[in-house]
Amino acid sequence: MRVLLVEDDSDLSSRLAASLRMESFVVDIARNGEDAQHAGLTEIFDAAVLDLGLPKIDGVSVLKSWREANRSFPVLILTARDGWPEKVASFKAGADDFLTKPFKVEELILRIRALVRRANGHASARVTCGPLTFDAQLGTFEYDGMPLKLTALEWRVLSCLILRKEVVVDRRELTERVYDGDAEVDSNSIEVIIARLRRKIGPEYIETVRGRGYMVTAAS
């Protein structure tokens, strides 16, 4: 899950990014509205956390520009403002959720996971594909009812695939969702991770679609 974190308070953004990365999220940080607008229009994200009071361009205007460009990733508004007019403006601009400062980081993480899950068409927190189950709210995997131990990169790849189960996920899209923007990525890195996952859950549950990407499937 790749998240765009838009927050001009450098201490808060650094702390939130560290907490999200501890939960295996890939996090891009923007500290002003101009950079946030550009990132949301040009990069792939599963969700965005957007502060309203930003330098250069305000948060509502940033959100409007994303929606006008048909950027549909879910957006959680994060703000110190608790007034009803700000909430109305945010939701009219296309926001999906709203969290007022101060807040618990644990709640922020749960809300992001719920937004990403629903954006991928899953009403239930538990997503099942064959013997594999992903609890999208807790971020845990089970295989045949037993906990599945994964590295952070394996978790990122498998969560991306199972949230889009039975759908081919482009290799480039996987790479962008798995690695931080400044990471040095070998050309075969995704293939290595896929190979490790196949050893853990069985090769029949991750299908390679030549020239396109990968798909988690219940077919065995």
Side-chain angles (χ1 to χ4, degrees), residues 1-191:
M1 299 181 189
R2 186 180 180 191
V3 175
L4 174 60
L5 174 59
V6 187
E7 170 59 62
D8 63 320
D9 184 323
S10 58
D11 289 338
L12 177 58
S13 62
S14 296
R15 284 189 280 110
L16 289 179
S19 297
L20 288 166
R21 287 168 181 148
M22 285 287 290
E23 295 294 325
S24 297
F25 288 93
V26 176
V27 184
D28 290 30
I29 299 175
R31 294 196 171 96
N32 63 69
E34 191 174 90
D35 291 344
Q37 185 180 68
H38 177 74
L41 293 174
T42 58
E43 302 291 334
I44 295 174
F45 295 102
D46 292 289
V49 177
L50 177 65
D51 188 30
L52 288 184
L54 297 170
K56 297 187 178 181
I57 305 175
D58 67 273
V60 171
S61 297
V62 170
L63 179 53
K64 284 180 179 178
S65 71
W66 291 343
R67 296 309 191 221
E68 288 169 358
N70 295 318
R71 304 296 284 178
S72 60
F73 52 82
V75 175
L76 186 154
I77 296 295
L78 187 64
T79 180
R81 305 172 188 174
D82 196 23
W84 177 242
E86 286 79 15
K87 290 185 178 181
V88 171
S90 299
F91 284 123
K92 282 186 175 181
D96 299 273
D97 201 356
F98 201 103
L99 192 58
T100 304
K101 302 172 185 176
F103 58 89
K104 295 287 189 182
V105 176
E106 294 82 1
E107 181 181 0
L108 175 69
I109 291 170
L110 288 173
R111 286 178 181 242
I112 293 171
R113 285 177 172 159
L115 287 174
V116 173
R117 167 174 54 83
R118 290 196 294 267
N120 283 280
H122 301 290
S124 171
R126 290 176 68 83
V127 182
T128 300
C129 189
L132 190 65
T133 299
F134 177 50
D135 190 317
Q137 203 65 14
L138 299 178
T140 56
F141 279 95
E142 293 178 359
Y143 184 80
D144 276 340
M146 299 297 292
L148 182 63
K149 188 175 182 180
L150 301 170
T151 67
L153 291 178
E154 290 167 355
W155 185 93
R156 290 173 180 176
V157 169
L158 195 55
S159 63
C160 184
L161 291 174
I162 198 169
L163 285 173
R164 298 160 182 80
K165 63 179 182 176
E166 308 294 350
V167 174
V168 180
V169 180
D170 182 82
R171 185 184 178 282
R172 173 180 167 273
E173 184 180 337
L174 264 181
T175 301
E176 292 194 4
R177 282 188 158 98
V178 168
Y179 292 99
D180 292 307
D182 57 354
E184 293 185 9
V185 183
D186 293 335
S187 60
N188 66 338
S189 295
I190 293 295
E191 286 82 355

